[in-house]
Amino acid sequence: MLSRAKITTALLILGSTAFGATNPGAMQVALERRFTETVRPFLETHCFACHGKEKQKGKLDLSVYSKMDAVAQDYRRWEIVLEKLKAGEMPPEDARRQPTPDLRHAVIDWIQALRKFEADRNAGDPGPVLARRLSNAEYDDTVRDLTGVDIRPTREFPVDPANEAGFDNSGESLAMSPALLKKYLEAARDVAEHVVLKPQGFVFAPHPAVTETDRDKYCVKRIVDFYRRQPTDYADYFMAAWRYQNRAALGKANATLDEVAREARISPKYLTTIWSTLTEAREEIGPIAALRRMWRELSAATGSKPDAVRGACERMRDFVVQLRQKLKPEFKNLTLRGISSGSQPLVLWKDRQYAANRLRYNREALESRSELKLPDIEPPNVPLSRPAGTLSPSKGERDGVRGSALAERLDPGSDAGFKFQTADFGFEVVRFVVAAMTNSPNSQAGAWDEKGANVRTNHIVMFHGENALRPRFEAAFERFCRIFPDAFYVSERGRIFLQKDEGDRGRLLSAGFHLMVGYFRDDAPLCELILDEQDRDELDALWQELNFVTFAPMRQYKDFIFFERAEPPRFAQGAEFDFARSEDKDATSEAKMKQMAETYLAKARRVTNSGPAIEAIQHYFDSISADVRWVEQARKAAEPSHLETLLSFAQRAYRRPLSESERDDLLAYYRSLRQQEGLDHEEAVRDAIVSLLMSPHFLYRVDLAEAGGDSKLGKDGWASQAPPSASPEGRFASRNADHSVPDQAPTRPHTASVDRPSRDEIRDTVERVPAGFTKAHPLSDYALASRLSYFLWSSMPDAELLARAAAGELRHSKVLAAQARRMLRDARIRGFATEFGGNWLDFRRFEEHNAVDRERFPAFDNELRRAMFEEPVQFFVNLIREDRSVLEFLYGDYTFVNALLARHYGMPVSAAAPGEWVRVDGASRYARGGLLPMSVFLTKNSPGLRTSPVKRGYWVVRRLLGEYIPPPPVTVPELPADEAKLGDLSLREMLARHREDKSCASCHEHFDSFGLVFEGYGPIGERRAKDLGGRSVDTRATFPNGSEGSGLDGLRSYLRAHRQADFLDNLCRKLLAYALGRTVMLSDDNLIHQMHTGLAANNYRFSALVEKIVASPQFLNKRLAGEGETTDGRRASSPQ
Amino acid sequence: MKTMRKSVDWPCQSPQTSRRAFLRGVGVAMALPWLESIPTWGSVPVKDGTPGPFPKRFAALFMGNGINPKHWWAKGAGAEMELSKSLEPMAPLKTKLNVINGLFNKHATGVGIHPGQTGNILSGASLQKGAVLRGGISMDQMLANRLGQETVQPSMVLGCEQPITGYHETNFSMAYSSHISWQNAMSPVPMEVYPSLAFDSLFENRGHRRTQSTLDRVKEQAASLSRKVSSNDKAKLDEYLTSVREVETRIERMRATKETANEKAKDRGPSVFTMKRPDNGLPEDIREHMRLMGDIIALAFQTDKTRVATLLLCRDLSGLFYPFLDVRTAHHPASHDDQSEAYERISRYYCSQLAYLAGRLDSIREGDGTLLDHSCLLWISNMWSGTKHDNSKVPVLLAGGLGGTIETGRVLDYSNQGDDHRKLCSLYLSLMDRMDVKLDRFGDAETRLAGL
């Protein structure tokens, strides 16, 4: 504390020498005279006895202030003197002599006049804002916005110290050390390990992407996620078709099919197909005819009740899915003597057969019979119809075995509530089930053992009638299968070369090999029926990336060598194959692959003359070679694009464009890594990124003034240079769009949210340097953009802000205000909530709070702790994004809870959104609302097994109201740690006794009462009627001005009536200190006053505060070299 | 510098010579032993000119697919110990050997064969099937996390066979078959299979070599930025610049200390084990490959570059061939006939890899003992019988006394103990204890291995 105060003092001295000494006026002369004639003698008479050379009670020595300047420089202490004099607390009651009221007022007046004088004289001084490294939080958030992934590299960094204002975002406190530098180095490497090089540019994966398994994970997940996002549920399409049909009744008479599709988030293309199938097809027999009957019944029967319609649509879907599964073609393995059926060429052949037939039907499924025959082995007592409810058509094909009937007719009609049978359309879906009787004592005699049942024959589609009809059926089924594929895509595949399903799940995108890595793409129906061109391109790119990023073809081919040579039956054994070793670096070279293909094929031809098998092998070698060569070439061809991305990454990291020489320098560094250090391309890119993240241009915020103001600036040209392209994020950002960085999507037009200034308005730029102020200079546009973004987001500027800076528009007050408003609505305001709110109200590190006795309070677990931390964050974010009144911090009758916190607060838990945060209005019913009764503060200020009215009260007075309370003397007696062990006295009574001691009372009077009103909340903020010692709680309190009140309501009434201005004043000061990254100075007084009045004039909306700050000279300017410094930054005289 | 130049041909003064090339060249000279009475590196206290305790080193050597059970046994103790045919290579060092049978990993049993038996051999974790990898941190990495900051590299993870990552029929990823060293539940440690790169990492790993070029670069940037700002800002940037210089100085100091040590070592003639940088690429002959990897571990231990090493001699489901053992089939198919003479020769060959490394370490003097005496080499396979894929117990050999904390020359058999008393993770807990990494539990074990 002391050393920090000293630092600040030193800065203030610097400040006033820079701006004060040269401007003497009559006012100053008068004030100085009053100091010598009145104030100094007053001090000598009434103060020096305790606060002089001999004694320094409260560590205060007033004898050192021999001149007015000295007072001005140390005004913060004099504010306390002022307070004590005003309150009549000093000189103490028992002092030998008391000053006359007039004299007391004269001194009070003088102190206040000095303050006013000092404030006016330097009003708008930007103050000393040092270059500073990013704080841990800023570093994490910046890395998140820079890379698009939330890596949080500072997890193991030491905690940043706070400055005097309580914030950790200023140069005074943010120091650098060798140990920290090494941590930054580790952090930079950590980030660089997330880099994924792509065919165009690079991105960052959410996890390290160095090992093969990590790279596989990254690429496979992206493809599978893409598949899962696609609308492939038929019910959604039937539903949308129904909505379209009933559009008039639903109040959307003019809706087009496309609009309906978009609203339902399904494919317009496929909806068109479905719609025409349902409404236009002229079919009398076959499945589409049946489906159309269902459709007609649906629209006729259910009118316009969407819920009932949904159910019917799902039954239609189930009918389609189930029937379609029966029509799926099966393919046998291609076999070849001496080659494993799991060998890559053969497995891939089979994969291709399935993939090529997804829109075809299995002719063999269509059996022609005139009547249904039941098997002969009919067991006794078997009901011919299946028990009700045992068969529910379902998507999966495996659960069909559950039925226990001997022969089942799959009739969507009766089963699904439709009044028809498929037989009406000339076919029936039937399956024969043979079930074992169970004799187990637990089951009834003759009961079916469902597990023992097995489907004896495959599902058969029969049609009634003459064979002459067959061609028509063929055509009808063909059409059905053409519209409804057996699968839109395959995202997992087991070992398909095995005849029975082994249940190998979770092999994502796998080709289905044994032991070997290999992917197979099978999504033609999706591409053809559902995706539009853009989606198809995206999917194609994802599959290309898989090969590019993971080297899948190379690895697959090396595994092929291993498998064919080492695993039985080892087709490639023998000396002729000895040249091929999967370990060899050149195993995938063109020459060696060619040799392998020739040798392998020659051997295959010796053992077979099966055309398809030889073809499959030939196809394998052709396609794997092509893939390997593609990866090789694409990797090489992509290198320039990676360097381009590197350059745009660099300028985003530096938060400004690069100068020509910086660009050259970066590329030269890359080349030196490759040529001199022998790194490969990928390593060199990673190292270059490490060096960018270690650069002071990234790591430090140096607010540079705009070029021209200081001839030293812009020597490299970058301070005034426009970015090289319209979008400073360039290609990098667009590649990164899939990482859900809230607003980096390049599609957002820059003009969307901000009014572009007219030409006239731009000319009318704000007067940023206060009149007569020669030692400050406007910040450069980019420095201003950063200052804004680190203030409101604790992170780097986004694309829009940088574009504004590039266009030179930020200096226009309207643009600036509009940008601030836009930023306040952005989700990244969370950074402000945790950094400003968390430090101001002292809950930033609550997730490390461990003072709770968890045995006594089992409800308090890490989850609840996290929820407690989140409550004020949610409150802040909501208040700011909705631009509500800051008075709601105190009086708001609402708060935010998740299920856990709701339970803790005794609020009903919303079943609809169990994990989500919801706003609770009328929170006073649960004794909550606003910041005051949040459990995070009540818990943080309780020492475990009891409450602490002292700490809670101190928190209110100090943190919320900004009152200065000196630290307690070292001799303070400890209160018992456990309420239950207090003995006869309640905590309230012990505190009352404590206040009987005058020296204690002088402070405790100021805050005990603020804590006592919270006695209705226990040590973890829970509501309670009795304390841990079984005593009824008493929440009454007498506030410092003598008024009385009880509980939360009492405290709020008191605050509203007497302390609201204190709260607002404190909020203004804290916010300003945070925004500027320095401690508030006397010269900020006028701005703080303006913030106050601005608030009152704007219904206390939060944005009013921010707009005042960002338009202030303090915010827009930088103090230039002070007196005693030469222009090149060196001090002319030696420092004091 | 002078002493270095003697031993290399590189033209050091030439400005074109990169630091990398330079370091590569002087690698030999920098391969210094743990020198008595010279507090060179590491954190070992040296008092009154007598060496403090020597650092303890640990290495795990893995062979896939089990051994020939018929020829894998030992009897007796100490110098009288009788070794089976497959264990014969360890005969010269049998007093420094412990043959341990009967231990197993519960989670590696009953889950199907191969990958599920392998990926957790050093972690005891239960492995997840399907596309998402999930296991547990392995004990070598646990050691590396705790001891790693004392050395240039926290650990070395080496392999003599490339990993594969497809799927096994048990639906476990083949990544489990290829990696025994896991940095956390999700990710295996990338394995170095190139001897040349493993060698480089000892002398110019990114912690040094690449840091240097990063620091050089940002130092220049800070200096040039510093010239453009006011004096207050300059002070903050100087703080940064000073930190950069300080980190650089520390790196240089480490090198300087080594040079001093090198100088002093010249006349004393301790048994300095040296090796030249291996050629680029993979050695054609697997014997050469394994020997080089062993040499690199010996060098790393001797020079205290790392104290933890893992060497995957072959992966599980290995496709390695052994024409020099007169075996025509690859490793894995050969293991399906594990009682065969051929597989006995393979088993013996793998035991000889332990013997080679142990012999190397034993030839290096440290104080009154040898480097082997201050080390523990764990040799392990994932099965007992490859024919049956039986891992109800696995073969374990321990070589070295780990600084007098492990009694050697013994045959320990836990086969008849209850399952709770024969856990591999109990062995790991006991070994980590002796490396001063004390954990309450590891993997599936909460107790130490009795009788070790």
Side-chain angles (χ1 to χ4, degrees), chain A residues 332-623:
Chain A
K332 295 215 159 44
N333 284 344
L334 199 55
T335 55
L336 194 59
R337 191 160 49 85
I339 296 185
S340 160
S341 56
S343 181
Q344 288 189 18
L346 305 183
V347 172
L348 289 169
W349 175 86
K350 196 170 180 183
D351 285 337
R352 284 200 301 279
Q353 304 314 307
Y354 279 103
N357 285 284
R358 303 234 169 262
L359 292 169
R360 307 265 288 281
Y361 90 108
N362 178 11
R363 293 175 72 99
E364 284 154 27
L366 203 63
E367 270 192 36
S368 176
R369 291 199 194 176
S370 54
E371 61 178 299
L372 194 62
K373 257 204 213 156
L374 298 178
D376 298 328
I377 47 157
E378 185 177 327
N381 301 327
V382 173
L384 266 179
S385 62
R386 60 185 172 73
T390 52
L391 180 74
S392 50
S394 102
K395 277 178 285 179
E397 59 177 315
R398 290 157 60 77
D399 62 346
V401 215
R402 283 175 54 228
S404 54
L406 192 63
E408 287 176 349
R409 287 181 176 82
L410 269 185
D411 259 338
S414 51
D415 189 62
F418 289 101
K419 301 180 198 69
F420 75 92
Q421 296 195 322
T422 48
D424 300 348
F425 303 94
F427 71 99
E428 279 185 307
V429 184
V430 175
R431 62 181 160 188
F432 301 101
V433 176
V434 176
M437 297 292 293
T438 58
N439 294 316
S440 104
N442 295 336
S443 58
Q444 289 173 324
W448 287 102
D449 178 357
E450 295 199 353
K451 279 182 192 149
N454 68 70
V455 181
R456 169 86 183 286
T457 72
N458 215 345
H459 315 94
I460 297 176
V461 178
M462 304 202 47
F463 79 100
H464 299 283
E466 326 80 68
N467 279 336
L469 278 175
R470 185 159 181 117
R472 282 183 61 199
F473 271 104
E474 297 266 357
F477 277 94
E478 184 95 51
R479 274 193 297 277
F480 176 74
C481 292
R482 185 74 190 75
I483 293 162
F484 301 103
D486 62 3
F488 281 107
Y489 60 86
V490 177
S491 62
E492 8 185 324
R493 193 178 286 104
R495 287 168 296 157
I496 69 152
F497 57 92
L498 297 176
Q499 290 309 317
K500 60 179 181 188
D501 186 349
E502 298 265 309
D504 301 331
R505 295 285 177 253
R507 302 183 173 198
L508 300 176
L509 308 182
S510 162
F513 304 139
H514 177 38
L515 303 184
M516 297 171 284
V517 70
Y519 300 104
F520 184 80
R521 178 175 177 180
D522 182 353
D523 55 20
L526 182 73
C527 292
E528 191 177 326
L529 298 172
I530 288 189
L531 299 186
D532 60 24
E533 205 174 323
Q534 199 185 339
D535 288 338
R536 262 202 309 273
D537 288 349
E538 187 186 336
L539 186 55
D540 288 347
L542 288 174
W543 275 95
Q544 281 199 334
E545 267 172 38
L546 174 66
N547 282 351
F548 185 94
V549 173
T550 68
F551 295 96
M554 281 83 161
R555 289 160 56 206
Q556 181 183 332
Y557 180 71
K558 285 181 179 180
D559 284 0
F560 169 80
I561 300 177
F562 145 72
F563 186 83
E564 300 296 320
R565 293 202 65 205
E567 288 294 303
R570 303 196 295 280
F571 186 74
Q573 64 183 329
E576 70 213 90
F577 289 101
D578 277 353
F579 69 91
R581 296 198 318 161
S582 52
E583 303 90 75
D584 289 338
K585 254 202 164 160
D586 66 346
T588 55
S589 70
E590 207 159 354
K592 275 212 166 171
M593 285 182 80
K594 192 156 172 269
Q595 191 182 354
M596 183 66 173
E598 281 163 4
T599 317
Y600 195 95
L601 269 163
K603 180 161 181 188
R605 288 201 180 92
R606 285 202 298 276
V607 298
T608 185
N609 37 30
S610 147
I614 297 296
E615 242 170 64
I617 293 168
Q618 182 72 58
H619 182 278
Y620 170 75
F621 281 109
D622 289 349
S623 71

Side-chain angles (χ1 to χ4, degrees), chain A residues 71-140:
Chain A
V71 178
Q73 283 158 19
D74 200 6
Y75 194 81
R76 205 156 326 179
R77 305 196 95 184
W78 278 78
E79 258 180 14
I80 301 161
V81 173
L82 178 65
E83 258 177 51
K84 297 287 171 190
L85 283 175
K86 271 170 137 180
E89 288 172 11
M90 286 288 153
E93 277 179 57
D94 54 357
R96 246 178 332 122
R97 291 171 62 186
Q98 288 289 342
T100 64
D102 281 354
L103 183 56
R104 181 186 292 271
H105 280 130
V107 175
I108 289 173
D109 278 353
W110 181 86
I111 300 175
Q112 286 171 333
L114 173 69
R115 173 177 193 141
K116 175 98 178 66
F117 172 71
E118 287 291 332
D120 287 347
R121 167 161 81 154
N122 290 321
D125 178 5
V129 178
L130 297 176
R132 59 219 173 270
R133 65 170 172 84
L134 301 178
S135 73
N136 292 348
E138 288 170 341
Y139 186 89
D140 281 345

Side-chain angles (χ1 to χ4, degrees), chain B residues 189-365:
Chain B
V189 181
M191 183 166 67
E192 184 57 74
V193 294
Y194 289 88
S196 52
L197 298 181
F199 181 89
D200 288 349
S201 76
L202 285 180
F203 299 105
E204 44 183 294
N205 74 338
R206 69 176 200 178
H208 282 189
R209 178 62 219 108
R210 285 161 80 173
T211 300
Q212 193 73 53
S213 73
T214 303
L215 293 181
D216 282 350
R217 180 172 159 75
V218 299
K219 199 168 61 179
E220 277 166 31
Q221 290 182 339
S224 97
L225 182 58
S226 192
R227 286 193 288 275
K228 292 176 194 154
V229 299
S230 71
S231 63
N232 291 332
D233 287 347
K234 192 170 153 52
K236 294 303 285 184
L237 288 172
D238 281 350
E239 199 178 87
Y240 172 80
L241 209 45
T242 312
S243 301
V244 174
R245 288 206 190 96
E246 175 61 25
V247 171
E248 274 189 326
T249 311
R250 284 181 199 179
I251 293 173
E252 277 158 22
R253 206 182 299 137
M254 263 185 100
R255 284 183 51 194
T257 321
K258 279 169 216 148
E259 283 170 28
T260 316
N262 193 19
E263 193 71 42
K264 291 190 180 174
K266 251 192 340 183
D267 311 323
R268 299 188 175 222
S271 53
V272 182
F273 161 62
T274 60
M275 71 183 285
K276 80 172 193 34
R277 183 180 185 276
D279 296 332
N280 286 329
L282 284 180
E284 286 290 314
D285 191 328
I286 190 65
R287 288 174 293 184
E288 162 92 356
H289 196 170
M290 289 186 184
R291 202 181 65 240
L292 283 172
M293 289 309 207
D295 286 349
I296 287 167
I297 292 175
L299 188 60
F301 281 180
Q302 180 190 26
T303 53
D304 203 31
K305 296 288 164 94
T306 190
R307 295 175 189 172
V308 181
T310 312
L311 174 57
L312 187 102
L313 293 164
C314 69
R315 60 172 193 247
D316 172 46
L317 284 166
S318 168
L320 292 181
F321 286 91
Y322 311 102
F324 53 90
L325 297 176
D326 195 22
V327 183
R328 272 307 296 177
T329 52
H331 184 113
H332 170 226
S335 76
H336 282 187
D337 189 6
D338 65 5
Q339 307 269 344
S340 66
E341 284 305 311
Y343 203 65
E344 190 283 320
R345 289 197 294 276
I346 294 176
S347 305
R348 179 151 32 110
Y349 169 71
Y350 277 88
C351 179
S352 75
Q353 298 309 309
L354 175 69
Y356 177 76
L357 178 57
R360 267 286 188 217
L361 299 187
D362 205 42
S363 74
I364 299 167
R365 280 194 47 227

Side-chain angles (χ1 to χ4, degrees), chain A residues 21 75 210 228 262 271 349 371 599 760 901 961 1077 1111:
Chain A
Y75 194 81
V210 183
R228 290 187 182 144
R262 267 194 293 278
L271 180 59
W349 175 86
E371 61 178 299
T599 317
D760 284 347
L901 199 60
L961 305 182

Side-chain angles (χ1 to χ4, degrees), chain A residues 301-349:
Chain A
T302 46
S304 53
K305 284 188 203 110
D307 283 354
V309 175
R310 178 77 206 177
C313 289
E314 284 172 8
R315 288 192 292 276
M316 287 171 70
R317 170 196 66 201
D318 295 344
F319 165 73
V320 170
V321 168
Q322 215 179 18
L323 176 60
R324 187 62 182 82
Q325 285 310 310
K326 320 288 177 281
L327 301 167
K328 185 177 164 182
E330 290 290 335
F331 297 93
K332 295 215 159 44
N333 284 344
L334 199 55
T335 55
L336 194 59
R337 191 160 49 85
I339 296 185
S340 160
S341 56
S343 181
Q344 288 189 18
L346 305 183
V347 172
L348 289 169
W349 175 86

